[in-house]
Amino acid sequence: MDFKDELLQTFIEESTDIIERIRKKLENFQESSNKQERFQDILRAIHTIKGNSGTLNFFKIKSITHELESSLLVYKDKEDEIPRKILDDIFKYSDFLENEIINNNLEINNTSDNTSNETFHIFSQEEVPHPKVQDNLNSEKNIDFSKEKTVKEKIENKATNSSNEIIRVTAEKVQQNFDIISEIFLIRNQMKYLVDLHYLKKIESDSFFQNWDFLDNSLRKCIGELEQIALSMRMMPIKTLLRRMEKAVRSYLDEHNDKEIIVQIDGEDIEIDKKILDSLAEPLIHLTRNAMDHGIETIVERKSLNKPPKAIIKLSVQIIANEAIIKVSDDGRGIDEQKVLNSAIKKGMDVKNISSKDEILNLIFLPGFSTAEKISDISGRGIGLEAVKSYVESLGGNLSIKTEINRGTDFILRLPLGMSVVPVIIAKANGYQFAILNNDVFELKNVLPNEIVKNGSESYYKRGNDFIKCFNIEDYLYSHLKKDKEIFNYKEKIPLCIISYAGKIAAVQVGEFISNAEIVVKEYPSISPELPYISGVSILATGESTFVISLTKLCDRITKKSFGKNLGQWCQNE
């Protein structure tokens, strides 16, 4: 990256941060007791962008920020008189300005002569944006979802481009990094000295192992701290992404006067991996558009249902264990599962094995599925949800739904926090080792053979008062090596993992539990055959390579009868 590119990247990052600061000052502006202070801060922020853009000869940005600053000066010392419509216009103008900067519409060549008679009066007598601004804002709302490829390409391109971006890291984190590296070098030297003493027989074996164990624990602790700091350097607040969704709502309402929507944001300061953050923009914005277009009723409909005329879309984030849980919720009409089922039948889908509510709702994630009676420019083509689910799963996460008629719908995304070192269970299937993600399993058991019963071709395990479905992983992983013996002929206890998938509890039988471990997980190579139940690959302490398996995805594939090529056969062929 040359010097000009570095300057451009810095300008974009600083400007988007400043615009985010403007948005925060605009929130609840009319209810605040310090309007003057907030308004002064907004003016300073706009002036800073104007100054920075002038220094770098970005004349277009300088021109429009100058016009915005001039328009707002009318309200200096009259902050109590600023109407709601003006505040909404500043929001829109901030969105427009951010888009121009992010999309590099900077006009480095001085075109001031061509635009000297052209102003950006966003606060005219009618209090509407200038046509140029409005055109730009409208272009955001007209994103074409007419082809599945379009949605997927946007998602994939976002993930690809993010690897070339710069991440700003505080000097404090860099110093912490150096401090821990210094400790690791010190421990390494102590270990070398201890080994030398043992080699020269100047230390007793008991004392040697005791000291070695102490140093090993210290080294383990330092490496853990170093990992946390290194990973935290990639972590970014999710608020910028949630604000984009808020912006999508504002753009939608500009063209849909029959609806009123309030956006609520919770957990905006939570941090997740920047790679995941950058890639999630399109999926989350599509879920938001889906909620606006299909979930939220018109004002008239809401009044007839005794609902508040203003609907709510809530965007929330929380951290549980090593997962970020992101919810896109609305208090709209909900999803009618019977309507979904009827639509599936009408499309000629085989639904005879689908019975539970969760199974019915999961139909909406199938390619081309939609219950919309008409296609809008926002959604209804049955394309986006399938692309969103596929991409979330490619990140090692999952997407689920909770819904209730006339109460609303929650789309729930569960994503890993970007941890590269994860706790796993090392197990065997047909003699081959593999790793199971800990967060897939909430109970491990060794059970007697008579605790598993057969019903036709299916097996069940009695857990408490309930019989839950039991999958034998050896039927699917390295199954060409499976020994011909029925489960009932086993004399030893049978190892089971109790998991939750598709809203149900299930048991997964493995060949053998080996141990618990912490491993470094690498991405599953993109050139390899597509096996969605593989979350990654790793090297064990023994030096053997292994696959990291997600049991929930494995059971999901088995249930859908789309397991595909046997893992063992593929390994053998390769």
Side-chain angles (χ1 to χ4, degrees):
M1 180 180 291
D2 61 27
F3 183 63
K4 286 184 179 179
D5 289 337
E6 286 184 17
L7 282 178
L8 175 61
Q9 186 69 31
T10 302
F11 173 75
I12 291 172
E13 289 181 355
E14 288 183 354
S15 298
T16 51
D17 284 348
I18 291 170
I19 290 169
E20 184 59 33
R21 197 173 85 208
I22 292 172
R23 291 194 184 107
K24 292 198 80 169
K25 295 296 178 182
L26 288 170
E27 287 178 1
N28 303 315
F29 182 90
Q30 292 185 316
E31 293 79 21
S32 69
S33 57
N34 59 340
K35 293 187 182 70
Q36 187 174 24
E37 182 183 336
R38 285 191 177 206
F39 191 70
Q40 291 294 332
D41 202 22
I42 291 170
L43 288 176
R44 280 193 295 270
I46 296 167
H47 188 77
T48 300
I49 297 176
K50 183 178 80 169
N52 291 346
S53 56
T55 302
L56 297 173
N57 295 330
F58 297 153
F59 294 107
K60 181 176 182 180
I61 301 301
K62 179 183 176 182
S63 174
I64 59 180
T65 47
H66 175 74
E67 180 61 35
L68 177 59
E69 185 181 30
S70 301
S71 301
L72 289 177
L73 284 174
V74 176
Y75 292 99
K76 192 174 182 181
D77 300 324
K78 299 178 184 177
E79 290 81 3
D80 290 329
E81 300 175 14
I82 301 177
R84 167 61 62 184
K85 184 66 175 66
I86 293 296
L87 297 174
D88 290 341
D89 285 340
I90 299 173
F91 260 121
K92 293 174 188 175
Y93 203 87
S94 299
D95 295 343
F96 161 69
L97 183 62
E98 185 178 49
N99 284 340
E100 293 294 287
I101 292 171
I102 290 174
N103 295 324
N104 289 345
N105 295 329
L106 305 172
E107 284 191 13
I108 294 177
N109 296 323
N110 192 343
T111 56
S112 56
D113 293 341
N114 298 331
T115 58
S116 57
N117 297 323
E118 185 178 354
T119 58
F120 290 84
H121 292 299
I122 62 168
F123 308 130
S124 63
Q125 291 180 348
E126 294 82 11
E127 294 184 348
V128 296
H130 183 273
K132 274 204 166 188
V133 177
Q134 192 64 52
D135 289 345
N136 189 282
L137 294 174
N138 287 342
S139 69
E140 290 182 17
K141 295 176 282 188
N142 295 328
I143 294 175
D144 184 12
F145 286 99
S146 60
K147 295 180 181 178
E148 181 176 356
K149 182 181 176 184
T150 306
V151 179
K152 287 188 172 178
E153 278 184 350
K154 283 187 175 185
I155 290 171
E156 289 164 2
N157 289 340
K158 198 76 174 176
T160 302
N161 294 335
S162 65
S163 61
N164 297 321
E165 294 181 1
I166 294 171
I167 299 176
R168 286 185 288 173
V169 179
T170 62
E172 180 186 7
K173 286 184 178 179
V174 175
Q175 186 58 48
Q176 288 175 347
N177 201 45
F178 278 122
D179 291 343
I180 294 172
I181 290 172
S182 299
E183 284 188 50
I184 290 173
F185 272 109
L186 178 61
I187 294 169
R188 186 197 68 170
N189 291 338
Q190 289 175 320
M191 284 181 158
K192 182 179 181 300
Y193 177 69
L194 191 63
V195 170
D196 289 343
L197 287 179
H198 185 64
Y199 180 75
L200 296 171
K201 298 182 179 179
K202 291 184 178 181
I203 187 171
E204 296 292 333
S205 292
D206 290 346
S207 180
F208 169 79
F209 287 115
Q210 185 179 355
N211 286 318
W212 182 271
D213 190 51
F214 173 78
L215 290 173
D216 180 61
N217 288 334
S218 299
L219 183 61
R220 191 186 294 263
K221 178 175 175 288
C222 286
I223 291 173
E225 290 175 356
L226 184 63
E227 179 205 359
Q228 292 298 322
I229 292 171
L231 290 174
S232 71
M233 292 178 180
R234 288 168 33 185
M235 306 294 266
M236 303 289 289
I238 199 170
K239 63 184 176 184
T240 53
L241 176 56
L242 297 181
R243 296 296 175 186
R244 284 191 63 183
M245 296 162 69
E246 188 179 26
K247 182 168 66 175
V249 174
R250 287 198 299 271
S251 299
Y252 177 84
L253 292 177
D254 283 344
E255 289 190 349
H256 296 80
N257 298 324
D258 58 342
K259 295 183 181 182
E260 283 190 63
I261 302 172
I262 301 171
V263 178
Q264 294 180 354
I265 294 177
D266 186 24
E268 63 179 17
D269 293 324
I270 287 174
E271 296 183 337
I272 63 174
D273 192 299
K274 189 175 189 296
K275 181 181 178 182
I276 294 176
L277 184 67
D278 290 344
S279 306
L280 275 176
E282 290 299 332
L284 286 180
I285 287 173
H286 183 79
L287 291 178
T288 305
R289 288 194 178 103
N290 195 75
M292 292 186 294
D293 215 34
H294 297 309
I296 300 299
E297 310 95 336
T298 64
I299 297 172
V300 174
E301 287 176 307
R302 291 181 68 86
K303 286 181 177 178
S304 68
L305 294 168
N306 294 320
K307 287 185 173 184
K310 289 186 177 180
I312 295 173
I313 290 181
K314 186 173 181 179
L315 316 171
S316 64
V317 186
Q318 62 180 141
I319 302 296
I320 297 179
N322 290 328
E323 285 187 321
I325 300 176
I326 304 171
K327 287 185 183 179
V328 181
S329 309
D330 67 73
D331 66 345
R333 54 175 63 95
I335 300 173
D336 186 340
E337 58 261 32
Q338 190 57 50
K339 185 177 178 181
V340 172
L341 190 61
N342 292 341
S343 180
I345 295 170
K346 187 177 178 181
K347 294 176 189 296
M349 295 181 179
D350 182 6
V351 295
K352 62 174 180 276
N353 294 322
I354 294 175
S355 55
S356 70
K357 179 179 178 179
D358 289 326
E359 289 173 333
I360 294 172
L361 291 175
N362 281 329
L363 290 172
I364 69 173
F365 294 121
L366 294 176
F369 190 91
S370 177
T371 59
E373 295 176 2
K374 62 178 182 179
I375 294 173
S376 72
D377 61 338
I378 301 294
S379 56
R381 295 177 171 86
I383 293 164
L385 285 180
E386 187 269 335
V388 170
K389 184 176 174 66
S390 297
Y391 183 69
V392 169
E393 288 181 347
S394 75
L395 292 173
N398 63 71
L399 176 63
S400 58
I401 314 170
K402 287 184 179 178
T403 188
E404 190 174 341
I405 299 295
N406 292 327
R407 296 293 296 274
T409 301
D410 296 345
F411 282 96
I412 305 164
L413 292 81
R414 293 178 178 270
L415 294 163
L417 281 176
M419 298 290 287
S420 58
V421 178
V422 296
V424 295
I425 301 157
I426 306 298
K428 277 188 176 182
N430 295 309
Y432 274 81
Q433 289 192 72
F434 64 97
I436 300 169
L437 291 172
N438 263 20
N439 57 5
D440 277 351
V441 181
F442 57 82
E443 192 177 355
L444 294 175
K445 299 179 79 75
N446 283 301
V447 303
L448 295 170
N450 59 14
E451 294 183 69
I452 295 177
V453 297
K454 299 204 83 170
N455 182 14
S457 61
E458 296 184 337
S459 299
Y460 292 86
Y461 165 65
K462 188 174 183 183
R463 184 173 183 264
N465 296 322
D466 299 320
F467 282 96
I468 61 174
K469 196 164 185 179
C470 182
F471 300 94
N472 186 353
I473 203 169
E474 294 192 316
D475 289 337
Y476 305 96
L477 299 186
Y478 311 104
S479 59
H480 62 294
L481 301 173
K482 186 179 179 184
K483 297 174 183 176
D484 294 326
K485 57 179 179 179
E486 284 292 326
I487 191 172
F488 300 102
N489 294 330
Y490 286 167
K491 293 181 180 178
E492 66 271 19
K493 288 191 173 181
I494 299 165
L496 289 183
C497 297
I498 308 300
I499 67 167
S500 173
Y501 88 100
K504 305 178 195 174
I505 304 295
V508 179
Q509 176 199 344
V510 299
E512 182 184 353
F513 290 136
I514 305 297
S515 65
N516 291 311
E518 287 187 342
I519 60 174
V520 177
V521 179
K522 299 291 186 180
E523 286 187 15
Y524 181 63
S526 57
I527 61 171
S528 304
E530 186 177 351
L531 299 171
Y533 48 87
I534 295 181
S535 299
V537 293
S538 185
I539 304 293
L540 300 177
T542 59
E544 299 174 86
S545 59
T546 189
F547 292 103
V548 182
I549 305 291
S550 169
L551 293 185
T552 55
K553 292 179 184 176
L554 179 68
C555 292
D556 188 50
R557 303 290 288 187
I558 294 169
T559 304
K560 292 176 180 175
K561 302 190 186 327
S562 57
F563 191 78
K565 196 171 188 180
N566 180 283
L567 175 59
Q569 291 174 332
W570 168 64
C571 291
Q572 193 178 45
N573 292 339
E574 295 300 313

